[in-house]
Amino acid sequence: MSDDLWVWEYAFHAEDEIGYPKQVRDEVRAIADQITELANLGIDPTGLGSRTTGTAQRHALPSGGWFETQCMPRSRPRLIAVVLVIPPPHLL
């Protein structure tokens, strides 16, 4: 893998991911994969999604929840970290 490519990963422990409904995990994975593909095509991932009050970007889930990413372009490989996941209440 080239250090110039972007990858995405959860910023929290994998055990925490298991606590989310499968539908939410699948939606986060699909959208994060799309963001990573666009980033690897040269589109700045910090311009994707809605801005938050900080430096993260918010992305809506089809089920009604949302998640936030934080981009780390200076890490190797470059990282898009999923830093927060908010599942919709009806799936909890």
Side-chain angles (χ1 to χ4, degrees):
M1 179 186 316
S2 170
D3 283 346
D4 292 335
L5 292 178
W6 287 89
V7 298
W8 78 270
E9 185 62 62
Y10 286 100
F12 43 83
H13 297 298
E15 298 84 34
D16 295 335
E17 175 196 356
I18 300 302
Y20 298 118
K22 181 178 180 340
Q23 179 179 350
V24 171
R25 293 192 315 261
D26 291 347
E27 290 175 358
V28 168
R29 185 174 297 115
I31 295 170
D33 284 345
Q34 291 172 354
I35 294 167
T36 303
E37 287 176 25
L38 291 171
N40 285 326
L41 290 173
I43 296 171
D44 182 2
T46 61
L48 302 172
S50 303
R51 300 292 297 169
T52 64
T53 56
T55 57
Q57 295 77 39
R58 182 173 291 175
H59 308 277
L61 296 172
S63 63
W66 50 272
F67 70 101
E68 292 181 1
T69 57
Q70 179 72 46
C71 297
M72 297 175 220
R74 293 192 174 109
S75 67
R76 293 295 176 245
R78 296 185 286 181
L79 180 64
I80 300 169
V82 174
V83 295
L84 178 66
V85 177
I86 305 296
H90 69 275
L91 291 179
L92 293 177

